[in-house]
Amino acid sequence: MRFLPTDEQSDFARTLRSLLGSAQVPAAVRAWAGGEHGPGHELRSRLAATGLFALAAPEAYEGAGLLAPELSLGFVELGRAGMPGPVVESAAVSVLLSELGDEGLAKRFLPGLVAGEAWATLTLPGGSGGSPYALDADAAAHCFAVSAAGELRLAVPGEVLRSTDPARRLSRPAAAGGERGELLAAGPAVARAAAAAGRWARLLTAAQCLGVGEALLERTVGYVKQRTQFGAPIGSFQAVKHRLADTLLALEFARPLLWAAALSTAPGDVAAAKLRCGEAAYRAAMTALRLHGAVGYTEELDLSLWLRKARPLRDAWGTPSACRAEVLRSVTPG
């Protein structure tokens, strides 16, 4: 089992990092938080041109196949850049439709998702690691909802609710086309596809967490090299070095768990990766906040865009306690 990206995979990640680095993502995030989705949609189209979204769809529907390692690498870069929009949910919908095996539904929705022409969002029952809230449904062309009874329906977004991260706009899906929305599919196949979609959503959220943690650490290291106290950069202080080293170790120990989960996509592996990556990102956020001091609390500082993502992403698609329970189930005989 290989735990390092291939040269081709590394080149793909570098391409995404370069694209996102020149795309003024913080400005797009601030616009998104204010309800202006245009810059985020433009960025989505540019990412689609790299083939990123094709990695979550079969070749029969203009995709590249379900390639979890490559997609995970891409989502690390999305987290590092702080990309707005329901990127995880759109990929999870692609997986759901791919696994469902309904050719009509796949042809109806997958080409647009692969081409970056539309976002989609997804809610799953709580037992699937999902949430009753739709993320960024006001910006998504399609809101998919799976019920505990195994029904897949389309819904429309309800009232937008406040979130810890203003760029993660939450809402409760409202009914559309009938009392509970247009019924797309029902039965055991929906439950199986939803379980697969939930695992991929958890995996890709873990990847985003790792990227967010890396961005926070990088920005904090840069800051402590510049900020001086008693005539010396605070980065030269032993206590600061120890805190940064602990943060780096947490991220580095989370990384191989993410790659292992991307290779296997087994529920226990994915849960372990989400647990470690989520907690490492949260540690990086706490380190960044403490070492930046009072300036770290200001919304004007771009750092806040990552600080406010760490906690929601840690809990999205599987809280730490839910992930621990899944890991325990995976290692318990019988």
Side-chain angles (χ1 to χ4, degrees):
M1 182 176 290
R2 181 181 176 88
F3 286 88
L4 292 173
T6 64
D7 291 342
E8 184 178 2
Q9 291 168 337
S10 296
D11 288 342
F12 176 61
R14 280 192 291 270
T15 297
L16 290 175
R17 186 176 301 186
S18 176
L19 184 157
L20 292 164
S22 63
Q24 298 182 331
V25 178
V29 174
R30 294 184 188 281
W32 193 275
E36 172 52 51
H37 303 128
H41 291 334
E42 181 180 350
L43 184 52
R44 176 194 63 199
S45 298
R46 295 180 63 185
L47 288 168
T50 69
L52 176 63
F53 304 135
L55 298 172
E59 294 180 11
Y61 304 104
E62 303 180 22
L66 300 177
L67 302 177
E70 287 80 1
L71 197 58
S72 297
L73 278 168
F75 272 70
V76 171
E77 298 306 323
L78 296 185
R80 180 192 293 275
M83 175 71 187
V87 286
V88 165
E89 289 71 21
S90 290
V93 166
S94 292
V95 172
L96 185 148
L97 295 172
S98 301
E99 296 287 340
L100 190 58
D102 187 311
E103 186 174 356
L105 289 179
K107 287 183 176 179
R108 178 179 172 184
F109 296 109
L110 279 178
L113 293 174
V114 168
E117 297 171 354
W119 290 124
T121 192
L122 175 68
T123 64
L124 297 180
S128 301
S131 166
Y133 299 105
L135 175 65
D136 290 319
D138 57 331
H142 311 294
C143 180
F144 293 81
V146 177
S147 70
E151 295 179 337
L152 173 64
R153 294 180 180 271
L154 277 183
V156 295
E159 178 186 1
V160 176
L161 306 175
R162 295 187 63 182
S163 169
T164 303
D165 177 3
R168 291 171 58 84
R169 298 165 63 81
L170 305 176
S171 64
R172 288 187 181 274
E179 183 180 351
R180 291 182 294 169
E182 179 189 350
L183 179 64
L184 301 176
V190 171
R192 289 192 295 270
R199 284 197 305 275
W200 279 65
R202 182 173 286 182
L203 172 67
L204 299 179
T205 304
Q208 274 195 308
C209 285
L210 184 62
V212 167
E214 290 177 345
L216 286 165
L217 179 60
E218 180 180 346
R219 287 171 175 269
T220 305
V221 169
Y223 180 74
V224 300
K225 288 180 179 179
Q226 297 175 0
R227 181 187 170 193
T228 60
Q229 195 173 50
F230 307 116
I234 65 171
S236 65
F237 300 161
Q238 199 71 11
V240 172
K241 290 180 179 179
H242 285 169
R243 186 175 291 277
L244 292 171
D246 288 343
T247 302
L248 175 62
L249 283 174
L251 291 167
E252 291 303 315
F253 275 100
R255 192 184 313 279
L257 291 179
L258 177 64
W259 303 148
L263 288 167
S264 74
T265 66
D269 292 344
V270 172
K274 176 59 168 51
L275 177 63
R276 293 290 79 173
C277 290
E279 293 191 339
Y282 188 64
R283 176 191 286 268
M286 293 299 97
T287 296
L289 189 59
R290 287 166 181 160
L291 295 185
H292 276 79
V295 72
Y297 287 90
T298 62
E299 291 187 2
E300 291 77 13
L301 190 69
D302 281 350
L303 180 79
S304 66
L305 303 180
W306 285 268
L307 284 174
R308 299 183 73 171
K309 288 184 184 299
R311 177 64 180 270
L313 285 176
R314 187 196 71 172
D315 294 343
W317 293 101
T319 62
S321 60
C323 289
R324 288 189 182 94
E326 184 62 57
V327 171
L328 182 61
R329 282 193 293 271
S330 71
V331 299
T332 301

